[in-house]
Amino acid sequence: MAAAALDAMAGTRWGRWLGLVTAVWVQCISGNNYTFSNYSHALKTLMGLTQLQLNGLSVAKDVGKAFGLLAGLASDRVPTWLLLAIGSLEGLLGYGTQWAVVSGAVRPLPYWQMCVFLCLGGNSTTWMNTAVLVTCIRNFRRSRGPVSGLLKGYVGLSTAIFTDVCSALFADDPASFLVMLAVVPAAVCALAMVFLREGPAAAAGGADEEEDGRCFAAINSLAVAIALYLLAADLTGIGGGGGAVSAVFVAVLLVLLASPGAVPALLAWKSWVKARKDANADLEGADSLAAAAAPLLVSAKAAAAGRDEEARGPGERPRLGEEHTIAQALTSLDFWVMFASFLMGVGTGLAVMNNLGQMGVAMGYADVSLFVSMTSIWGFFGRIASGTISEHFIKTRAIPRPLWNAASQVVMAAGYIVMALAVPGSLFIGSVVVGACYGVRLAVTVPTASELFGLKYYGLIYNILILNLPLGSFLFSGLLAGLLYDAEATPVPGGGNTCVGAHCYRLVFLVMALACAVGFVLDVVLSVRTKRVYARIHESKRAAAAQRVVS
């Protein structure tokens, strides 16, 4: 009975928005995979690891993303709540074990066992992300860019949220940090299991679509307020002051994080008021209005069916923009161009995020939490801005979404060159640039995949693309950064090694800048090849806008 009531709620407008808000809260805690730099030095010291071995652990956590294919396969077969349950339990086990080691509750585990538990922690986020992305993009089919930017934006903020809360409450203690990574996601996912459900897609056009736009704007504004609040706390150091000041900082942050819940609450109130008015109003004329609308609806469906038949004959490969099977997507040149360009952006970005701790030591910084937060916060701005901006330019000028990925590759390459030069403040500049451009890559590629290959098998297609995270981590972080760092480092007593100076990572940055140049070329090629798809999407959005004006 309760399940039926919740399913009915998911079919309402305010129910869809309540699901989106709970998805936002899940994303606020599902970026724990990017926080490795906050406790990597503790693991390196405790286990006496070389940089190559430490990077092997970071690769192991990213390899967990490869098993996201399981989440993709399951996304069309099991309910959303089960995906969230699996992810939260994996995170509890993976990060809980790491806490036990770092806190000294158990003796350090063998290296291979640590790799397994890091892999579990990394895989946990794939179940959470698949659950929220697939469900919300299907619930808001006509707003894929804003939905992707919003959800991926909050993932970008999650690292800063965890980092700043730990700094405020636990003085950056690695063991306390790992407790948060284990327990908080499980609690939030338990809430989302109740309210995040797939419902019928919203109808095109009309006042509802305009109100959806206002709702997106409101939640985006709240997200920007959270990001600016975290940025101010990081730059002023107010969040790490301890005592009452830190408690107030955390309390205000929690209120800001809860504030998007006001949107579905307002929609539910409006729905209740409208229902009362309809119950008391004279409904005469409703039948005639429905009769007048019926021929238009039948005509629109017939036209759409005619276009489908014209677009694809029996046995013919689907065109870009139509529903693809997994086999059809994987045999498409465009899919592999997108896959390779994605690798250049996220692979190099992960190398920086995984090595920020050692990069900070090499450049003379005792604490890198500021740079970790900067990467997270500017990753948020990149994600949320690119989703909204790319959607706007599709509507107004039919500009292909991959063109924004090409622009991000140029900026990212420039950031790596600045970091290679090791000018004063270069690590700060680099963390901002890499975070923002990494965010653009994620927020733009997610809706692009659904627009080019359809939503039917989107959960699995998304997780195939996410294979770039472990692959990129292995190539750029595990091999490139690990081997080149160890070549420059000197051994230390008791095991492990260290390197201090700009030379430690200079060649790494230059190679990654070259990789971004390759990614730029691939994104330009994809933009050219998808112009027709985005021209059709542009015309569809113009037609919907015209329908709203007429109605």
Side-chain angles (χ1 to χ4, degrees):
M1 199 72 173
L6 290 170
D7 288 337
M9 179 199 68
T12 64
R13 289 192 66 249
W14 68 268
R16 285 191 298 118
W17 279 96
L18 179 59
L20 181 63
V21 168
T22 56
V24 161
W25 291 332
V26 171
Q27 297 289 255
C28 284
I29 49 81
S30 63
N32 44 19
N33 204 42
Y34 299 112
T35 62
F36 185 68
S37 292
N38 282 326
Y39 60 91
S40 61
H41 188 68
L43 284 176
K44 183 177 183 180
T45 304
L46 185 68
M47 299 179 67
L49 304 176
T50 66
Q51 188 61 33
L52 185 61
Q53 290 171 323
L54 182 65
N55 283 0
L57 290 181
S58 73
V59 170
K61 75 174 177 60
D62 292 326
V63 164
K65 299 281 190 182
F67 294 100
L69 290 174
L70 299 175
L73 288 168
S75 63
D76 291 322
R77 296 170 174 81
V78 302
T80 302
W81 68 264
L82 185 54
L83 298 176
L84 292 168
I86 294 171
S88 59
L89 290 174
E90 277 195 325
L92 194 62
L93 179 59
Y95 289 106
T97 303
Q98 292 176 64
W99 162 80
V101 171
V102 171
S103 66
V106 300
R107 296 179 60 185
L109 300 177
Y111 184 80
W112 72 269
Q113 291 183 17
M114 288 299 295
C115 287
V116 169
F117 287 109
L118 278 152
C119 183
L120 276 176
N123 183 245
S124 67
T125 61
T126 66
W127 294 87
M128 300 176 196
N129 290 337
T130 299
V132 301
L133 278 170
V134 171
T135 304
C136 291
I137 284 183
R138 287 175 176 170
N139 284 348
F140 295 88
R141 292 168 186 260
R142 299 186 62 82
S143 302
R144 301 180 198 186
V147 167
S148 171
L150 182 68
L151 294 178
K152 287 297 181 183
Y154 274 97
V155 173
L157 281 181
S158 64
T159 304
I161 292 170
F162 275 126
T163 301
D164 289 355
V165 169
C166 181
S167 178
L169 299 181
F170 308 115
D172 295 318
D173 175 53
S176 300
F177 187 79
L178 284 164
V179 168
M180 290 175 56
L181 296 187
V183 175
V184 173
V188 175
C189 284
L191 176 66
M193 287 178 213
V194 178
F195 297 110
L196 181 58
R197 293 166 182 264
E198 187 173 334
D208 283 355
E209 192 165 326
E210 290 185 4
E211 189 167 35
D212 279 354
R214 291 193 292 270
C215 292
F216 278 118
I219 297 181
N220 281 338
S221 298
L222 291 170
V224 171
I226 294 169
L228 292 175
Y229 180 68
L230 291 170
L231 182 62
D234 287 334
L235 294 178
T236 61
I238 191 172
V245 173
S246 294
V248 170
F249 162 76
V250 173
V252 172
L253 178 60
L254 292 177
V255 171
L256 288 172
L257 291 172
S259 59
V263 170
L266 180 60
L267 289 175
W269 179 77
K270 285 184 176 181
S271 177
W272 179 78
V273 170
K274 184 175 182 299
R276 283 181 61 93
K277 286 182 178 179
D278 289 346
N280 298 324
D282 182 9
L283 299 181
E284 289 183 7
D287 290 342
S288 61
L289 181 60
L296 295 176
L297 181 60
V298 171
S299 174
K301 288 183 177 179
R307 285 195 300 270
D308 287 345
E309 290 174 4
E310 180 182 352
R312 184 174 68 250
E316 184 181 346
R317 275 187 65 89
R319 297 177 182 178
L320 282 180
E322 299 175 350
E323 292 289 349
H324 285 61
T325 65
I326 298 302
Q328 289 166 341
L330 294 182
T331 54
S332 166
L333 174 63
D334 300 283
F335 179 86
W336 293 108
V337 171
M338 180 169 61
F339 186 93
S341 71
F342 194 45
L343 174 64
M344 299 301 120
V346 299
T348 59
L350 274 174
V352 173
M353 295 178 191
N354 289 340
N355 289 274
L356 265 178
Q358 284 62 51
M359 289 176 181
V361 171
M363 295 185 183
Y365 294 96
D367 182 13
V368 297
S369 60
L370 173 63
F371 306 122
V372 174
S373 287
M374 287 298 101
T375 302
S376 175
I377 292 169
W378 286 95
F380 158 79
F381 286 124
R383 296 170 201 230
I384 203 165
S386 61
T388 302
I389 291 172
S390 64
E391 191 81 10
H392 170 76
F393 279 98
I394 290 173
K395 289 180 180 179
T396 57
R397 300 187 182 182
I399 293 178
R401 218 185 284 269
L403 202 59
W404 299 99
N405 278 339
S408 75
Q409 295 279 30
V410 174
V411 178
M412 193 176 245
Y416 292 141
I417 292 172
V418 169
M419 295 172 82
L421 294 174
V423 297
S426 62
L427 192 58
F428 183 89
I429 295 170
S431 63
V432 169
V433 169
V434 170
C437 293
Y438 184 90
V440 170
R441 293 258 22 153
L442 285 175
V444 170
T445 304
V446 165
T448 299
S450 71
E451 288 161 345
L452 299 186
F453 304 107
L455 283 171
K456 186 174 183 181
Y457 299 100
Y458 175 66
L460 186 53
I461 289 173
Y462 165 74
N463 278 286
I464 292 172
L465 283 173
I466 293 301
L467 287 175
N468 274 300
L469 298 184
L471 179 60
S473 179
F474 172 72
L475 293 175
F476 293 103
S477 182
L479 290 182
L480 180 68
L483 290 173
L484 294 182
Y485 178 95
D486 282 349
E488 299 287 346
T490 56
V492 297
N497 58 18
T498 189
C499 182
V500 178
H503 63 285
C504 300
Y505 284 99
R506 178 170 287 128
L507 185 56
V508 176
F509 293 135
L510 293 176
V511 172
M512 293 196 302
L514 179 61
C516 285
V518 174
F520 166 77
V521 173
L522 293 172
D523 283 320
V524 170
V525 169
L526 189 61
S527 298
V528 173
R529 291 178 61 88
T530 58
K531 284 179 65 176
R532 291 184 180 179
V533 176
Y534 286 98
R536 291 199 299 268
I537 295 174
H538 169 71
E539 289 302 322
S540 171
K541 291 181 182 293
R542 283 187 61 187
Q547 180 185 351
R548 288 199 300 271
V549 172
V550 171
S551 60

